[in-house]
Amino acid sequence: MAGLIHIYCGDGKGKTTAALGLALRAAGSGKRVLLLQFFKDGKSSEFSALEAVKGIEVIPQTRRFGFSWTLTDSEKAEAAAYYSGLLEAAFAGAAGCGLLVLDEAMSACATGMIDEGRLLELLRQRPEELEVVMTGRDPSPELLAAADYVTEMCKRKHPFEKGVPARKGIEF
């Protein structure tokens, strides 16, 4: 059966959580899952649990660059080369996988850390059975058109607005 493309987007909480829920479901059914998180350092609490799940492999982040708006042009170029390499590695490593999760792919495209045209090309060239999930805010019309599922998380209220910081085990 052909794999489909999912996008979880919007300004609300739950995009990564939804993607990881699908990863757990896929792994539970015996599918191999490959997960790449752009801009995240692997210290979120979900990684402790994911290590224990047979069939889920996380592509490790070995570099940290900070926020894109704080980087110099040369640092941005270095970060873009790094993240573009991770994207290529993810698709190359996804052979034989049932699911590829590209967490924060929309943000990586929006900030120029990965080339959207290349991402779209990789999506078109992926193995027929590979399901792909991408998360992040503000997907482009081209990415939306490429997707089979689009789910938008809409923030109505968030404790951060009252000064409540991110809490371990809930937001990270």
Side-chain angles (χ1 to χ4, degrees), residues 68-130:
S68 61
W69 61 87
T70 66
L71 302 178
T72 66
D73 287 344
S74 65
E75 289 170 331
K76 284 180 186 175
E78 185 180 347
Y82 175 73
Y83 289 122
S84 294
L86 288 178
L87 178 67
E88 297 290 336
F91 275 92
C97 282
L99 177 65
L100 173 61
V101 178
L102 301 173
D103 190 33
E104 294 297 344
M106 304 305 141
S107 301
C109 287
T111 58
M113 295 297 123
I114 61 173
D115 179 72
E116 184 175 298
R118 180 63 180 148
L119 173 58
L120 287 164
E121 184 180 330
L122 289 166
L123 289 169
R124 283 190 298 274
Q125 295 172 352
R126 76 189 189 283
E128 184 180 351
E129 70 282 355
L130 181 62

Side-chain angles (χ1 to χ4, degrees), residues 16 32 46 78 114:
T16 298
R32 188 171 151 247
E46 65 263 19
E78 185 180 347
I114 61 173

Side-chain angles (χ1 to χ4, degrees), residues 4-108:
L4 302 178
I5 298 172
H6 308 238
I7 291 178
Y8 299 138
C9 60
D11 64 355
K13 179 182 177 342
K15 296 175 289 291
T16 298
T17 304
L20 294 178
L22 185 56
L24 286 171
R25 178 178 286 159
S29 73
K31 294 181 186 298
R32 188 171 151 247
V33 177
L34 186 60
L35 169 66
L36 171 58
Q37 289 190 307
F38 295 97
F39 310 126
K40 296 180 178 178
D41 61 8
K43 294 180 182 172
S44 288
S45 300
E46 65 263 19
F47 287 101
S48 299
L50 289 175
E51 288 175 356
V53 179
K54 182 182 176 195
I56 297 180
E57 178 187 347
V58 177
I59 295 175
Q61 298 285 321
T62 59
R63 310 242 354 242
R64 192 85 176 121
F65 295 96
F67 295 110
S68 61
W69 61 87
T70 66
L71 302 178
T72 66
D73 287 344
S74 65
E75 289 170 331
K76 284 180 186 175
E78 185 180 347
Y82 175 73
Y83 289 122
S84 294
L86 288 178
L87 178 67
E88 297 290 336
F91 275 92
C97 282
L99 177 65
L100 173 61
V101 178
L102 301 173
D103 190 33
E104 294 297 344
M106 304 305 141
S107 301

Side-chain angles (χ1 to χ4, degrees), residues 127-140:
E128 184 180 351
E129 70 282 355
L130 181 62
E131 201 91 7
V132 179
V133 176
M134 299 178 290
T135 71
R137 295 176 182 230
D138 303 318
S140 71

